[in-house]
């Protein structure tokens, strides 16, 4: 075995949490200057494997070699010293500090007197960004920047510590399309500089765009490692999901839309804040309406208004033909509206509460027995939801924080579908979920619509939008610029042009 | 969501022009300076006949706020680190008592050391309980508030402990250093060191990082437990010095010295723009917060309000100021 150009080798890694085995005998290696994709279903153990490499967790068994030398990585500092940098799935910046201060946090340049030299930090940050060929103001406070900049800052932070290997865990999950493209170009440049990248993603197109090799994990075991040129997309999907799935992204014409009766939801001349301007549309029972648009086009804001989070300035909302006042989420829920928010960590879940408590939160009304909560019934209800949505969870009474990203997303969806809403709004419902789960979620959306519910889907992934929508509204600067029946959309490109307003 | 931002990473930095910078300027963080000027002018006009602007009165304001300022500098670190220290007032009382007793027994240096030892012990215990056992600082220091007052009252049998050592009294609050009152020198030293350490040293940066996002700090390799321990230790030490300043100014040690000061110190810190949620801290702001409180106290006395009315007005002003300075 020629190991000379392997910068990282992990041999027979095993890891368990509280007796639940998460990684079993996994070996993994990375060559200099390659992009190595790490794929696998939700909960397969990708993030855990990387956290072991990063010193966040220690392996129960196995060995790590860096540059051919065995190393003990006991802490994040050890990993850094070994040249491993990570762009965390959950961002790890201090929002109240500036970009430069974050990049050099805990390794600040000092002046002769031993004091922090912020000016030198800014200067060096500028150099790093210039090397990366991106433009970020090192003096800007991180909390005021968008997620794309957070990521660039994280990458710069890793590079400032001379990282030879960069771990990126679902880096595009919260990026707009053009931002992702900028990131891909950056990855290409880093690769040319000899930096290796471990790339975790659920999106096949990204893996194909970037990766040289791929390793697939399933249920904590390594299934294969191969050059991307040697495996077919079908093999990868099958490897991840464990079975063949076909046509998950194909649109299936459905004729469940009730065209005769009154619309379930009608919106007339809605204005709210700066991002929702004069929006009107109607939604019928059984219909799936896709909302397309660039980041900042007002899709999320529209959803927030319909769920009573933001107040509308003018216009009216009719539900089942009746004018409805949506001044609070409670009123929206009472009117049969549910919103599955885009940011599950911030808005969808109480991370430190148990999976069960999270699931039952919107259902507490049904669980009353006298003045108390019926805990037996709660347990039953939550188990049935966990089963129905195939949430991979060992202990429902443990914090939801411990679930893998995709399983957290399933909990959010299960939580809201438990309330049996008539109008369901899903904002980026498949962010961070694996391909198998994604097709399950898309099927779920179709089934709900077939059962007579009205669904609004917001998604930045056009294939997904095209797979489920009966109609697509294109938003730009807060207004509806197009309202296109699905049958008129020939392909992805057509939609993309429509979104750009061409 | 509010963070979503449509500019591409490649957009030029030149777009960060003056207008956006002005918009981005977080005026809430600077509201204290405005508030200070407004209140000062208000009293200067309203109370010009009561001698508000006389040099003596102005010096007095500084002198009376010195102990609060010293405590509040320590408190700035604690709050910037997203913790709280409710024990500072009673630590000051205990330190004044211990200093006075050790002073009369063994002399000047042991007296000073005894006072500092109080801060060291209480600060370490607070810090250890918070960082090692993970008990919320609110509870730990609330308990410590009671313990420190109780001990001070107990060992003195509630009796004041006079201090007859002139050197001590001169050094700690009664005397002048050259033309400048000692108390002002003490606050200046604390504020200067406090500001430099918080803004310009790695330790200060790590305090802000720990308060701003503990996970991120941890992942960056910062030992956040140690930082939490250290800020509580600093606060305890600052409070013990404040206690000695009480002892020197009032030439005695008493368990009541400092009672209730924790509220003034916290108010000074928050007024000064340090975030109650951690992550931001300004020692200079804290100084002005403390001065503003002193200004208000002084003005209300000169205006002839009785102490109950003073309390009401003071409370209202603090709520108003904090409401203006709050996070959006
Ligand atoms: N600290 C922990 N304590 C207990 N269980 C954990 C912990 N961290 C992870 N797990 C479990 O280990 C398994 C693997 O999780 P991991 O986050 O590595 O998955 P993943 O492959 O990254 O999934 P995703 O694609 O959803 O992000 C999951 O079942 C998760 O619940
Ligand atoms: Mg993961």
């Amino acid at each position: 075995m020629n190991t000379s150009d392997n910068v990282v080798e992990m041999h027979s890694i095993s890891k368990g949490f509280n007796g639940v085995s998460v990684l079993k005998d996994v070996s993994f290696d990375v060559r200099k200057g390659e992009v190595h994709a790490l794929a696998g279903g939700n909960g397969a153990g990708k993030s855990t494997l990387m956290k072991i490499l990063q010193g966040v967790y220690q392996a129960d068994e196995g060995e790590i070699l860096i540059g051919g030398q065995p190393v003990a990585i006991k802490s994040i500092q050890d990993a850094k010293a070994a040249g491993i940098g990570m762009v965390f799935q959950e961002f790890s910046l201090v929002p109240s500090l500036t970009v430069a201060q974050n990049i050099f946090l805990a390794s600040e340049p000092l002046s002769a007197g031993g004091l922090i030299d912020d000016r030198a930090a800014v200067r060096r940050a500028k150099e790093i960004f210039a090397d990366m060929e991106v433009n970020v103001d090192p003096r800007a406070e991180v909390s005021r920047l968008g997620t794309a900049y957070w990521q660039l800052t994280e990458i710069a932070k890793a590079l400032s510590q001379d990282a030879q290997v960069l771990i990126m865990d679902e880096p595009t999950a919260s990026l707009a399309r053009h931002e992702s493209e900028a990131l891909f170009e950056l990855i290409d440049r880093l690769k040319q500089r000899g930096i290796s990248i471990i790339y975790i993603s659920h999106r096949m197109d990204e893996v194909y765009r970037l990766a040289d090799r791929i390793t697939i994990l399933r249920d904590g075991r390594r299934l294969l490692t191969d050059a991307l040129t040697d495996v077919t997309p079908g093999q990868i999907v099958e490897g991840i999901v464990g079975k063949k799935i076909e046509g998950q992204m194909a649109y299936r014409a459905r004729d469940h839309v009730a065209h005769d009766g009154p619309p379930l939801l009608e919106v007339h001349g809605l204005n709210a804040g700066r991002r929702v301007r004069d929006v009107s549309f109607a939604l019928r029972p059984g219909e799936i309406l896709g909302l397309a648009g660039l980041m900042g086009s007002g899709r999320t804001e529209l959803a927030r208004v319909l769920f009573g989070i933001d107040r509308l300035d003018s216009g009216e909302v009719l539900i089942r033909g009746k004018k409805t006042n949506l001044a609070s989420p409670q009123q929206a829920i009472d009117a049969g509206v549910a919103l599955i928010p885009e940011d599950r960590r911030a808005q969808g879940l109480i991370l430190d509460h148990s999976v069960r408590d999270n699931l039952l939160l919107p259902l507490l009304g049904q669980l009353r027995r006298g003045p108390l909560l019926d805990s037996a019934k709660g347990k039953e209800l939550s188990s049935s939801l966990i089963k129905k949505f195939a949430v991979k969870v060992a202990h429902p009474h443990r914090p939801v924080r411990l679930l893998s990203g995709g399983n957290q997303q399933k909990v959010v969806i299960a939580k809201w579908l438990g309330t049996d809403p008539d109008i369901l709004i899903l904002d980026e419902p498949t962010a961070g979920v694996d391909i198998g789960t994604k097709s399950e979620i898309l099927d779920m959306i179709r089934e709900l619509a077939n059962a007579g519910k009205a669904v609004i889907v917001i998604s930045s992934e056009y294939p997904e939008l095209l797979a489920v929508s009966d109609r697509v509204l294109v938003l730009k600067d807060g207004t509806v610029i197009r309202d296109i029946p699905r049958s008129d959309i020939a392909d992805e490109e057509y939609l993309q042009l429509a979104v750009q307003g061409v | 969501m509010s963070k979503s931002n449509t500019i591409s990473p490649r957009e030029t930095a030149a777009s960060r022009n003056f207008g956006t910078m002005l918009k981005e300027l977080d005026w809430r963080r600077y509201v204290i300076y405005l508030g200070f000027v407004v209140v000062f002018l208000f009293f200067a006009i309203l109370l010009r006949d009561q001698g508000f602007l006389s040099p003596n009165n102005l010096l007095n304001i500084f002198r009376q706020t010195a102990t609060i300022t010293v405590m509040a500098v320590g408190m700035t670190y604690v709050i910037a680190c997203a913790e709280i220290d409710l024990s500072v007032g009673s630590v000051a009382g205990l330190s004044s008592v211990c200093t006075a007793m050790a002073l009369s027994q063994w002399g000047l240096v042991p007296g000073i050391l005894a006072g500092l030892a109080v801060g060291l012990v209480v600060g370490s215990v607070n810090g250890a309980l918070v960082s090692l056992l993970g008990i919320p600082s609110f509870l730990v220091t609330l308990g410590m508030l009671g313990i420190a007052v109780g001990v001070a009252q107990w060992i003195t049998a509630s009796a004041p402990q006079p201090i007859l050592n002139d050197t001590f009294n001169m050094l700690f609050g009664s005397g002048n250093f050259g033309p400048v009152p000692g108390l002002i020198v003490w606050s200046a030293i604390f504020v200067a060191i406090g500001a430099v350490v918080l803004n310009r040293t790695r330790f200060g940066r790590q305090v802000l990082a720990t308060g701003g996002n503990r996970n991120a700090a941890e992942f960056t390799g910062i030992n956040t437990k140690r930082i939490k321990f250290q800020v509580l230790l600093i606060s305890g030490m600052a409070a013990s010095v404040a206690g000695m300043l009480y002892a020197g100014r009032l030439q005695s040690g008493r368990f009541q010295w400092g009672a209730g000061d924790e509220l003034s110190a916290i108010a000074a810190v928050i007024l000064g723009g340090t975030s109650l949620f951690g992550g931001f801290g300004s020692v200079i702001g804290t100084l002005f917060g403390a001065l503003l409180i002193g200004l208000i106290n002084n003005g209300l006395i000169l205006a002839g309000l009785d102490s109950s009315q003073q309390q009401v007005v003071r409370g209202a002003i603090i709520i108003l100021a904090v409401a203006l300075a709050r996070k959006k």
Side-chain angles (χ1 to χ4, degrees):
Chain A
M1 187 170 56
N2 175 19
T3 57
S4 61
D5 56 350
N6 281 346
V7 269
V8 172
E9 285 176 44
M10 300 177 83
H11 290 301
S12 304
I13 303 286
S14 296
K15 173 76 185 169
F17 293 106
N18 314 302
V20 182
S21 166
V22 170
L23 290 174
K24 294 155 212 145
D25 196 25
V26 175
S27 295
F28 181 71
D29 61 75
V30 183
R31 297 185 189 142
K32 188 170 168 60
E34 78 166 344
V35 176
H36 194 145
L38 186 55
N42 293 129
K46 305 178 295 294
S47 298
T48 306
L49 184 67
M50 287 305 107
K51 281 182 182 163
I52 288 172
L53 184 57
Q54 180 66 11
V56 177
Y57 301 140
Q58 268 81 60
D60 299 335
E61 273 165 63
E63 170 181 52
I64 300 176
L65 275 69
I66 304 231
Q69 301 296 316
V71 286
I73 300 184
K74 293 217 158 53
S75 68
I76 298 161
Q77 286 91 304
D78 291 349
K80 258 184 216 159
I84 290 167
M86 179 146 182
V87 179
F88 284 92
Q89 194 173 10
E90 309 103 59
F91 292 111
S92 68
L93 299 177
V94 180
S96 55
L97 297 180
T98 67
V99 168
Q101 288 173 342
N102 265 293
I103 292 177
F104 294 104
L105 190 60
S107 57
E108 290 89 354
L110 301 180
S111 64
L115 297 180
I116 291 179
D117 189 348
D118 269 323
R119 248 185 264 157
V122 168
R123 208 177 328 112
R124 277 170 46 189
K126 269 192 189 141
E127 285 166 17
I128 295 172
F129 285 126
D131 273 350
M132 287 164 61
E133 296 176 40
V134 294
N135 215 321
V136 181
D137 179 0
R139 284 193 211 87
E141 198 179 289
V142 165
S143 65
R144 292 170 185 279
L145 298 177
T147 36
Y149 289 91
W150 285 53
Q151 212 156 51
L152 293 174
T153 306
E154 293 238 25
I155 295 172
K157 183 171 167 180
L159 293 179
S160 80
Q161 289 147 358
D162 276 331
Q164 290 307 306
V165 181
L166 272 182
I167 305 168
M168 299 192 180
D169 198 343
E170 299 185 41
T172 56
S174 46
L175 295 190
R177 213 170 236 270
H178 61 288
E179 293 169 336
S180 305
E181 196 42 52
L183 177 72
F184 300 155
E185 284 166 21
L186 172 60
I187 290 176
D188 289 338
R189 287 194 293 272
L190 293 173
K191 206 169 114 174
Q192 269 154 28
R193 281 169 51 187
I195 291 172
S196 317
I197 286 153
I198 304 173
Y199 193 89
I200 302 182
S201 175
H202 291 294
R203 297 186 183 167
M204 278 307 113
D205 49 336
E206 293 179 2
V207 170
Y208 269 92
R209 158 84 172 72
L210 292 169
D212 302 301
R213 288 196 299 158
I214 184 168
T215 290
I216 299 180
L217 297 184
R218 193 201 297 160
D219 293 332
R221 286 181 197 281
R222 184 177 73 165
L223 205 68
L224 63 86
T225 299
D226 239 324
L228 222 65
T229 44
D230 295 345
V231 283
T232 65
Q235 279 172 311
I236 295 178
V237 172
E238 197 185 329
I240 292 170
V241 184
K243 59 175 188 233
K244 274 206 169 67
I245 41 174
E246 273 159 13
Q248 51 141 352
M249 286 307 199
Y251 174 66
R252 285 171 236 153
R254 301 170 318 109
D255 48 0
H256 287 271
V257 184
H259 283 291
D260 27 356
L264 200 48
L265 171 73
E266 269 176 282
V267 173
H268 294 300
L270 199 65
N271 282 293
R274 267 175 297 171
R275 290 270 185 81
V276 179
R277 290 196 222 138
D278 195 24
V279 172
S280 305
F281 66 91
L283 186 63
R284 298 182 170 276
E287 190 172 27
I288 305 174
L289 178 68
L291 289 191
L294 298 172
M295 241 187 185
S297 59
R299 296 167 301 168
T300 294
E301 287 74 8
L302 177 60
R304 286 167 63 95
V305 173
L306 293 177
F307 193 56
I309 298 171
D310 294 339
R311 286 301 201 88
L312 52 90
D313 300 331
S314 64
E316 55 180 14
V317 177
L318 281 74
I319 294 179
R320 288 175 217 90
K322 274 210 316 262
K323 190 172 182 308
T324 311
N325 185 14
L326 297 172
S328 70
Q330 191 54 52
Q331 285 180 355
I333 293 169
D334 291 344
V337 182
L339 169 68
I340 291 165
E342 61 175 345
D343 183 347
R344 60 174 171 263
R345 302 188 143 264
Q347 300 146 3
L349 295 170
I350 304 178
L351 287 172
D352 286 329
H353 287 190
S354 70
V355 175
R356 184 178 296 144
D357 287 349
N358 270 288
L359 282 173
L360 296 180
L361 199 57
L363 302 174
L364 294 178
Q366 305 168 23
L367 290 176
R368 263 198 299 255
R369 195 176 55 187
L372 303 175
L373 286 175
D374 186 340
S375 66
K377 196 167 157 201
K379 249 183 211 169
E380 200 178 297
L381 199 59
S382 60
S383 326
S384 80
L385 285 172
I386 288 172
K387 199 131 124 245
K388 188 161 157 203
F389 293 95
V391 183
K392 203 176 158 213
V393 48
H395 308 287
H397 61 272
R398 307 214 43 215
V400 75
R401 168 168 51 79
L402 300 178
L403 294 191
S404 74
N407 277 302
Q408 290 181 358
Q409 182 68 11
K410 285 191 190 175
V411 173
V412 181
I413 295 182
K415 162 180 161 182
W416 284 109
L417 290 185
T419 64
D420 198 23
D422 291 333
I423 301 167
L424 182 65
I425 308 168
L426 302 107
D427 197 351
E428 303 287 355
T430 64
V433 307
D434 64 41
I435 345 177
T437 314
K438 184 184 266 182
S439 69
E440 281 171 32
I441 291 178
L442 296 185
D443 278 339
M444 226 159 63
I445 293 174
R446 293 187 188 108
E447 266 168 44
L448 287 165
N450 291 349
K453 304 192 182 299
V455 185
I456 299 177
V457 179
I458 301 174
S459 175
S460 307
E461 282 185 63
Y462 298 135
E464 170 178 308
L465 214 51
L466 292 177
V468 291
S469 309
D470 299 312
R471 195 152 62 93
V472 176
L473 283 191
V474 181
L475 265 67
K476 190 177 186 189
D477 299 327
T479 17
V480 179
I481 54 166
R482 298 280 299 272
D483 181 347
I484 330 172
R486 174 65 180 87
S487 49
D488 289 1
I489 304 177
D491 51 20
E492 217 184 303
E493 203 170 333
Y494 180 96
L495 183 59
Q496 199 164 339
L497 291 177
V499 163
Q500 274 149 11
V502 189
Chain B
M1 191 161 331
S2 57
K3 277 181 192 136
S4 68
N5 187 329
T6 52
I7 332 169
S8 92
R10 302 166 136 245
E11 196 166 359
T12 60
S15 69
R16 231 175 105 74
N17 58 23
F18 186 70
T20 54
M21 272 173 61
L22 204 67
K23 222 167 45 196
E24 284 185 5
L25 185 83
D26 190 356
W27 60 273
R28 284 160 205 277
R29 240 180 274 168
Y30 305 103
V31 78
I32 176 64
Y33 305 108
L34 189 68
F36 183 83
V37 170
V38 168
V39 172
F40 187 87
L41 290 178
F42 179 76
F43 283 145
I45 295 166
L46 197 76
L47 300 171
R48 61 185 179 282
D49 298 333
Q50 278 89 338
F52 176 78
L53 282 177
S54 76
N56 227 339
N57 187 50
L58 294 182
L59 270 185
N60 244 335
I61 294 175
F62 267 104
R63 223 179 267 138
Q64 279 156 3
T65 43
T67 45
I68 296 292
T69 304
V70 168
M71 283 185 227
V73 169
M75 186 73 78
T76 307
Y77 282 74
V78 178
I79 293 182
C81 196
E83 299 289 342
I84 195 98
D85 186 351
L86 299 176
S87 66
V88 289
S90 58
V91 168
L94 181 60
S95 141
S96 78
V97 164
C98 290
T99 302
M101 292 171 84
L103 211 59
S104 63
Q105 286 276 336
W106 301 299
L108 179 65
V109 175
I112 295 173
L113 291 180
L116 292 176
V118 169
L120 187 75
V121 170
V122 175
S124 306
V125 172
N126 282 344
L129 290 173
V130 170
S131 66
L132 298 183
L133 297 187
I135 312 177
S137 54
F138 181 83
L139 296 176
V140 168
T141 58
L142 186 62
M144 194 52 85
L145 183 157
I147 294 173
V149 170
V151 169
Q153 196 169 357
W154 188 8
I155 58 178
T156 58
S158 306
Q161 307 291 311
I163 298 178
L164 306 171
N165 185 320
D166 281 342
T167 322
F168 179 86
N169 290 338
M170 286 299 127
L171 271 179
F172 286 88
S174 291
N176 292 346
F177 295 128
V180 193
L183 283 168
I184 294 182
V185 174
W186 276 104
S187 355
I189 291 174
F190 265 79
V191 169
I193 294 179
V196 170
V197 170
L198 190 61
N199 294 327
R200 298 290 308 278
T201 65
R202 282 196 181 158
F203 169 71
R205 192 58 56 75
Q206 296 184 351
V207 168
L208 296 178
T210 304
N213 180 349
R214 188 169 181 183
N215 273 330
E218 194 70 50
F219 279 169
T220 310
I222 294 171
N223 185 343
T224 58
K225 284 188 175 165
R226 196 178 71 208
I227 298 290
K228 299 227 167 208
F229 177 87
Q230 285 167 330
V231 293
L232 284 161
L233 179 60
I234 289 175
S235 176
M237 297 297 291
S240 68
V241 172
M244 291 195 275
L245 294 176
Y246 268 120
R249 174 156 65 102
L250 303 165
Q251 312 202 342
S252 66
R254 267 186 105 152
F255 74 92
Q256 293 103 323
W257 294 163
D261 279 2
E262 57 277 354
L263 293 184
S264 305
I266 292 170
V269 173
I270 302 299
L271 283 173
T274 295
S275 164
L276 198 46
F277 307 102
F280 290 112
S282 163
V283 173
I284 303 294
T286 295
L287 169 67
F288 278 84
L291 286 175
L292 179 59
I293 293 176
L295 206 61
I296 293 170
N297 285 345
N298 180 273
L300 295 181
I301 292 170
L302 290 188
L305 269 65
D306 70 34
S307 72
S308 53
Q309 293 165 322
Q310 282 174 36
Q311 282 193 22
V312 173
V313 175
R314 197 157 54 212
I317 291 180
I318 288 175
I319 292 177
L320 183 76
V322 174
L324 281 176
R326 84 194 187 284
K327 265 187 162 175
K328 247 202 313 219

